[in-house]
Amino acid sequence: MDSALSDPHNASAETGGPANGTTRPPSTPEGIALAYGSLLLMALLPIFFGALRSVRCARGKNPSDMPETITSRDAARFPIIASCTLLGLYLFFKVYFPNKSYTGSVLKTWKTQKSKKGKTAAIQNPTTRDNHRFPFEIFSQEYINLLLSMYFFVLGILALSHTISPFMNKFFPVNFPNRQYQLLFTQGSGENKEEIINYEFDTKDLVCLGLSSIVGVWYLLRKHWIANNLFGLAFSLNGVELLHLNNVSTGCILLGGLFIYDVFWVFGTNVMVTVAKSFEAPIKLVFPQDLLEKGLEADNFAMLGLGDIVIPDLGLAIEMQ
């Protein structure tokens, strides 16, 4: 839902570039065509495979494998909850994480005042110190993004493991020692015992989880665009597979609300742009427009939000019921 931010890394070129006056060279037509063609292909892959796997889940007899159904009430609430979350992130980054250069100038001014007037002046004027120095030092943007990265690291390896599991099963030998496991959490005892978590898995699932963890560590350490796309494709495929709309009217409510959400937050304000530039998470697919010039180290990206892939294609689930 943030596809309007197609070239976030071109901001320096549009605003005059760095202080030394250099700007990013414009992308070649071949690079642009390759980038947007690749984004289109990556958007179609989770739709196709997610739809196929959704059909299998709908035909399955195991209730635990049935997709989650979105009701009309859920569809009406979703744009409101998304707006509150987006605005909260915007205020969080904007208020508590001022620009580093700005904070540095404030601290420099405070130290200058302290050196000229002594400790008494510093105690008499604590506002500058409390309002600018402490929030930046305690709630650093880097630490918050690290926390979010760890959160998406866990979600990403689980989603990627679930995604590659059917493909990996074809490569295991027939005599592979596959053992069954069950993770069970219950609450209460006797007749009042209630299952909270009941998850069954096997050795093959553990192997897939290990391979997915390698990708997760790669993303956590390097934030490489390929690792980001692997997680993004996994999130998209799982979203198409595991989410269903109960009827057409629910889809109209959801898409209508998100249409207003997109128009307001993307085109009417700078909230989406600010959050997208501050928020480091695999919630989008990216592809470099300068791949032909710089190879895998390219850094001029075109971008497509995962919401633009998953949300419009939830209507496919209606035909599968």
Side-chain angles (χ1 to χ4, degrees):
M1 289 178 290
D2 47 4
S3 60
L5 311 176
S6 58
D7 294 302
H9 294 274
N10 282 335
S12 61
E14 295 174 359
T15 58
N20 57 9
T22 60
T23 59
R24 190 189 305 275
S27 303
T28 62
E30 295 80 5
I32 296 176
L34 177 61
Y36 285 98
S38 300
L39 286 178
L40 177 61
L41 178 61
M42 287 191 292
L44 294 177
L45 287 177
I47 295 173
F48 178 76
F49 289 103
L52 288 180
R53 294 173 62 163
S54 182
V55 171
R56 296 171 185 172
C57 290
R59 294 176 178 174
K61 298 181 180 180
N62 190 355
S64 61
D65 293 335
M66 292 301 294
E68 185 75 17
T69 301
I70 300 176
T71 64
S72 299
R73 179 176 295 182
D74 297 331
R77 290 177 178 176
F78 186 82
I80 300 175
I81 296 175
S83 297
C84 294
T85 303
L86 182 66
L87 182 60
L89 287 172
Y90 173 79
L91 295 175
F92 192 64
F93 283 117
K94 198 74 172 178
V95 174
Y96 287 96
F97 303 139
N99 184 271
K100 289 185 178 181
S101 60
Y102 170 73
T103 306
S105 63
V106 172
L107 293 178
K108 184 177 180 180
T109 302
W110 179 78
K111 291 179 180 179
T112 303
Q113 292 176 351
K114 180 177 178 181
S115 62
K116 290 182 178 180
K117 299 182 180 180
K119 297 182 179 179
T120 305
I123 298 175
Q124 290 177 352
N125 187 22
T127 305
T128 302
R129 181 181 180 184
D130 292 338
N131 288 346
H132 296 282
R133 185 179 186 183
F134 284 173
F136 180 77
E137 289 185 346
I138 297 176
F139 302 104
S140 173
Q141 180 174 347
E142 288 77 10
Y143 294 142
I144 297 300
N145 272 317
L146 178 60
L147 179 62
L148 294 174
S149 297
M150 292 299 298
Y151 173 72
F152 281 97
F153 165 78
V154 176
L155 291 183
I157 61 175
L158 293 177
L160 187 59
S161 176
H162 180 264
T163 300
I164 67 175
S165 179
F167 302 100
M168 290 299 298
N169 287 336
K170 301 178 181 180
F171 296 97
F172 288 103
V174 179
N175 58 350
F176 182 81
N178 191 31
R179 297 183 179 181
Q180 300 294 324
Y181 302 93
Q182 183 179 21
L183 184 62
L184 179 63
F185 286 92
T186 60
Q187 181 180 5
S189 60
E191 297 180 354
N192 298 325
K193 181 180 292 187
E194 180 182 359
E195 291 186 359
I196 300 177
I197 298 177
N198 187 359
Y199 182 71
E200 297 180 356
F201 57 98
D202 53 26
T203 308
K204 295 180 180 178
D205 294 328
L206 293 178
V207 174
C208 295
L209 188 65
L211 295 175
S212 302
S213 299
I214 297 175
V215 178
V217 173
W218 182 25
Y219 170 78
L220 196 63
L221 297 179
R222 296 290 305 276
K223 294 293 190 303
H224 199 275
W225 60 273
I226 295 180
N228 173 90
N229 288 345
L230 290 176
F231 277 167
L233 289 172
F235 287 141
S236 300
L237 190 148
N238 282 274
V240 175
E241 175 188 358
L242 301 177
L243 294 178
H244 275 189
L245 299 175
N246 55 3
N247 51 52
V248 176
S249 62
T250 301
C252 293
I253 295 173
L254 179 63
L255 294 179
L258 290 177
F259 173 77
I260 300 174
Y261 168 90
D262 259 356
V263 170
F264 180 77
W265 293 115
V266 176
F267 300 102
T269 68
N270 68 334
V271 172
M272 184 74 77
V273 176
T274 302
V275 173
K277 291 182 178 180
S278 305
F279 188 59
E280 295 180 4
I283 56 174
K284 54 187 175 294
L285 299 178
V286 297
F287 199 91
Q289 301 182 36
D290 53 350
L291 179 68
L292 300 177
E293 293 80 12
K294 297 184 179 180
L296 296 180
E297 299 301 324
D299 57 0
N300 183 15
F301 295 100
M303 181 177 72
L304 178 66
L306 299 187
D308 292 324
I309 302 174
V310 177
I311 298 299
D313 298 299
L314 290 180
L316 293 175
I318 300 177
E319 303 297 331
M320 298 174 185
Q321 296 178 346

